[in-house]
Amino acid sequence: MEDVKDAVVQASRALAVSGLGDMVWGHASVRDPHGGGVWMKSSGWGFEEVDRDKVVLVSPSGDVVEGSGRRHLEFPIHTEVMAVRPDVGAVVHTHAPTLAAFASLDCALLPISHDAVPFTCPQLPRFTDTGSLVATRELGAALARSLGEANAILIPNHGAVTVGADVGTAVMYAVLLERACRTQLLAAGAGGPRVWSDDDEVRFKRDQVWNSAQVDAGWRYLTRRVESGPEDGLSR
């Protein structure tokens, strides 16, 4: 299982260098290839602190099957999404302040920049059942239903969840969503926005700008950032 553990470590470290950490909260998971649940970082550690010894296998019922650490309370975000989305191989949950700030505006995310393209047309959903922790399987299942087939979901008063076929895509979507929300907040603070891509351009840019090769290029950049050592995060 070293490859799966390494994927969780890479995801965590990439989220850290991207400035999406929240002390010891937030988490990334990878689907267990044998159907045992999800591999995710153990509770009590920051993204930048994660190594293979801090990765645990959590069953759908919340038992720690492998590893010595404690599991996060919000494991149902990961297990319940993967239960209904066979296309999803990785899930990211982050509390980046920009996401909470944008979600509080209760307005649509607009494709002002390339970053918003994966989350518009159709518009990304919001989970409004609770702004507290998604700490029960029932809430996790409700979030999964609200997510539907989307790449991400905002949780007002809380944060966001992104998903992908692989860990690189899920992490990249988390980075892009934070950047998209930040760009719109900047535009709103300047009295706008006034212009953005229409639906046809969004669909075109989805294939041109964020095809799988481009997403992978961004992910590889993040992993190089991890390997080169700590620097200021991308969102700072």
Side-chain angles (χ1 to χ4, degrees):
M1 292 302 172
E2 292 304 307
D3 289 344
V4 181
K5 289 183 178 181
D6 287 342
V8 175
V9 172
Q10 278 192 314
S12 300
R13 295 294 182 90
L15 289 164
V17 300
S18 300
L20 298 185
D22 177 24
M23 292 190 280
V24 300
W25 300 284
H27 19 83
S29 69
V30 177
R31 185 189 294 273
D32 178 57
H34 303 295
V38 298
W39 292 87
M40 58 193 300
K41 80 175 180 73
S42 56
S43 178
W45 303 99
F47 283 143
E48 72 282 2
E49 299 179 292
V50 178
D51 56 30
R52 286 196 297 268
D53 292 336
K54 299 179 180 69
V55 177
V56 294
L57 174 61
V58 182
S59 74
S61 61
D63 296 320
V64 176
V65 179
E66 291 190 37
S68 57
R70 296 177 293 114
R71 56 125 170 105
H72 280 276
L73 290 174
E74 292 192 294
F75 78 90
I77 290 175
H78 305 264
T79 54
E80 297 299 325
V81 167
M82 291 195 191
V84 298
R85 288 281 301 270
D87 61 308
V88 169
V91 175
V92 169
H93 175 46
T94 175
H95 303 139
T98 307
L99 301 172
F102 177 79
S104 75
L105 301 180
D106 194 26
C107 65
L109 181 65
L110 301 174
I112 299 169
S113 65
H114 296 334
D115 301 323
V117 165
F119 316 110
T120 59
C121 188
Q123 179 69 201
L124 86 166
R126 282 169 164 80
F127 182 61
T128 57
D129 288 27
T130 183
S132 297
L133 299 182
V134 182
T136 68
R137 296 185 69 181
E138 291 76 17
L139 281 172
L143 185 146
R145 288 193 297 271
S146 296
L147 174 68
E149 298 301 313
N151 295 322
I153 186 168
L154 287 171
I155 312 174
N157 315 123
H158 188 160
V161 173
T162 60
V163 302
D166 51 58
V167 70
T169 302
V171 169
M172 278 294 294
Y173 282 162
V175 172
L176 294 176
L177 180 59
E178 191 278 337
R179 287 161 57 104
C181 290
R182 180 155 42 97
T183 297
Q184 189 161 335
L185 288 170
L186 288 170
R194 304 284 175 84
V195 295
W196 52 84
S197 295
D198 61 21
D199 288 355
D200 287 341
E201 186 166 76
V202 167
R203 294 187 187 98
F204 178 78
K205 289 171 72 173
R206 190 171 295 148
D207 291 331
Q208 182 192 52
V209 180
W210 294 122
N211 57 62
S212 59
Q214 291 287 76
V215 171
D216 185 61
W219 168 241
R220 290 179 182 275
Y221 167 74
L222 293 179
T223 59
R224 291 196 300 272
R225 286 284 307 278
V226 170
E227 292 167 0
S228 66
E231 297 179 8
D232 287 343
L234 295 179
S235 67
R236 295 174 186 257

